[in-house]
């Protein structure tokens, strides 16, 4: 069971996360020749801090 863990700053929309899931699943499935149903993706969101991109820091 391939599993992708993505660590990123909080603040991304559900639509953005869904697009990430679709793209990563499709491409990993193609590359490793495994059905998409067996691929899982986990998001680990971290709090926005001073190292976050300006567009996310402004949303605090």
């Amino acid at each position: 069971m391939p599993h992708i863990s993505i660590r990123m700053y909080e603040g991304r929309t559900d639509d953005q996360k869904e697009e990430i899931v679709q793209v990563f699943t499709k491409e990993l499935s193609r590359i490793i020749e495994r059905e998409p149903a067996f691929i899982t993706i986990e998001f680990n969101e971290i709090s926005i801090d001073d190292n976050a991109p300006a567009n996310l820091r402004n949303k605090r």
Side-chain angles (χ1 to χ4, degrees), residues 2-60:
H3 178 78
I4 299 171
S5 179
I6 299 173
R7 185 170 187 229
M8 64 183 181
Y9 287 109
E10 63 188 1
R12 283 10 187 260
T13 66
D14 289 341
D15 287 341
Q16 288 172 317
K17 292 176 194 173
E18 182 57 35
E19 184 174 353
I20 290 169
V21 168
Q22 290 175 10
V23 170
F24 279 47
T25 301
K26 177 183 175 187
E27 289 305 306
L28 184 59
S29 173
R30 178 185 64 78
I31 292 166
I32 67 171
E33 299 176 352
R34 184 70 168 142
E35 297 85 352
F38 295 100
I39 297 170
T40 58
I41 298 179
E42 165 188 29
F43 289 98
N44 296 299
E45 296 182 288
I46 56 175
S47 299
I48 294 173
D49 59 19
D50 291 336
N51 294 315
N55 65 317
L56 294 177
R57 285 195 317 265
N58 295 336
K59 292 182 180 181
R60 284 193 221 187

